[in-house]
Amino acid sequence: MTKQAIEQDPVHVGDLPGKHIVLGLSGGIACYKAAELCRALIKQGATVQVVMTEAAEQFITAVTLQALSGRPVYTSQWDSREANNMAHINLSREADAILIAPCSADFMAKLLHGRADDLLSLMCLARPIATVPLLIAPAMNREMWAHPATQRNMAQLSADGATILGVGSGFQACGETGDGRMLEPPELLEDIVAFFTPKVLAGQQVLVTAGPTYEAMDPVRGITNLSSGKMGFAVARAAREAGAEVTLVAGPVSLGTPRGVKRIDVKSAQNMLEAVMQQAQAATVFIATAAVADWRPASSAERKIKKDGSGQAPQLAFTENPDILATVAQSPRGVSGALFCVGFAAESHDLEDNAQAKRLRKGVPLLVGNIGPATFGRDDNALLLVDAQGSRELARASKLSLARQLVAEIASRIKQAR
Ligand code: CTP
């Protein structure tokens, strides 16, 4: 299948369709993670050409990576399989990006100086610098990582146009604990997908609420709802992919934070309102996906409410929670449009009418309607975008795909409005 055909094929799913990645491995124990990364890239529709240094071959075999990538691995600049015997030129010319994972401290130093004494460094130096980006996933011991030489090399490589994907922190193969581990394959994948995403929200500060809220009755009980937070987390991820700086205010959910997103955990609607009001000062876009509890117990008992033996249930009184979205949308920045506000509406019936009425009540330019029982906890959804002009459907798809479509929609509306 040609690259163009793959990109146009509707059944070909994945976040990297048609991308050709040259995956370079330098020597380090993190080479074992490169096997999983290779698989993950392919699962997302990319083709992967592996190039290994001699040191990398000490940690993992070319056989493993050939089997996973479905292509012979290159390890030498003297590879006679290439008709012109110029593997470094041929491999770098066909790449959409070169990703060095793991990138050892030594290999970083080599790249920095433009050394070219093995195939991988030679290929990096020979790559067309304007069209073939170089991404680096460092992996090393914490002392090596913290060393001024490494930090200096990293800063210079960034200045030379390379993208450094950062490192993880934690237990290291040497037995020490600290910064310098290679990021995990799913984290690298998220960063690579973000790297290729057009930056339609560059310069925007996006604030997102997500998940349910929890309203305490006493120290061990409370009321909440079935929201999983998946849509809000997907929106935060999509906004970051699109180049925004993203703050995610999350109710109690058990989801990992999307890469590059600042997360603030809250419990109750009142906590959420406080966090949002603080962050809203700097935000330019507010997307309220949280399923905020409409009511909270009028008072929360300090001690657990016990049965009194009468067989009567306790009488609970409720107070209405503040409407976070309406408060923000009707603040001076919301009204002036300096803060573009987007609401969600979870309905059970008459979606369009209810969503349109809710949009006007809250005072937001764009409201995203969905059927509550058909979305809570699921990985997919269908949305209805409602604005002053009418409505438009976003067909059933994964929440991440819908979040990306929504982000594109918001970006084009901001562009028109500002
Ligand atoms: N919302 C909010 N604060 C609240 C209630 C809702 O910020 N106290 C936001 C939600 O995050 C969502 C939008 O308002 O973006 C609509 O939420 P929804 O629960 O559908 O509507 P409600 O205002 O609660 O109205 P109703 O329950 O009557 O449908």
Side-chain angles (χ1 to χ4, degrees), residues 288-290 292-294 322-325 343-347 358 361-362:
T289 71
V292 183
D294 290 323
D323 189 318
I324 303 169
L325 175 61
F344 269 66
E347 305 295 343
K358 197 168 280 181
R361 201 167 64 238
K362 307 244 177 188

Side-chain angles (χ1 to χ4, degrees), residues 233-280:
F233 277 58
V235 167
R237 175 176 168 175
R240 180 259 175 172
E241 285 175 352
E245 276 196 29
V246 183
T247 303
L248 174 62
V249 178
V253 293
S254 52
L255 295 173
T257 311
R259 294 275 303 152
V261 166
K262 178 176 141 195
R263 172 171 177 176
I264 301 171
D265 284 321
V266 296
K267 241 179 168 178
S268 68
Q270 280 181 303
N271 298 155
M272 189 174 271
L273 176 69
E274 281 158 31
V276 165
M277 292 317 279
Q278 251 179 28
Q279 301 298 319

Side-chain angles (χ1 to χ4, degrees), residues 148-288:
T150 302
Q151 292 299 314
R152 203 166 52 229
N153 291 349
M154 198 174 58
Q156 187 57 51
L157 280 170
S158 282
D160 289 349
T163 298
I164 314 274
L165 299 175
V167 292
S169 190
F171 185 71
Q172 302 197 310
C174 53
E176 297 177 3
T177 302
D179 292 343
R181 286 163 54 120
M182 188 168 86
L183 293 172
E184 298 304 316
E187 295 174 314
L188 286 172
L189 185 66
E190 217 176 303
D191 282 358
I192 293 156
V193 171
F195 178 81
F196 282 115
T197 305
K199 299 292 175 265
V200 291
L201 285 184
Q204 302 294 331
Q205 312 272 333
V206 175
L207 177 61
V208 183
T209 62
T213 62
Y214 177 87
E215 313 296 331
M217 280 164 52
D218 70 15
V220 293
R221 305 186 188 93
I223 53 170
T224 185
N225 59 62
L226 290 173
S227 166
S228 63
K230 285 178 184 169
M231 191 67 214
F233 277 58
V235 167
R237 175 176 168 175
R240 180 259 175 172
E241 285 175 352
E245 276 196 29
V246 183
T247 303
L248 174 62
V249 178
V253 293
S254 52
L255 295 173
T257 311
R259 294 275 303 152
V261 166
K262 178 176 141 195
R263 172 171 177 176
I264 301 171
D265 284 321
V266 296
K267 241 179 168 178
S268 68
Q270 280 181 303
N271 298 155
M272 189 174 271
L273 176 69
E274 281 158 31
V276 165
M277 292 317 279
Q278 251 179 28
Q279 301 298 319
Q281 291 309 316
T284 57
V285 179
F286 177 50
I287 310 173

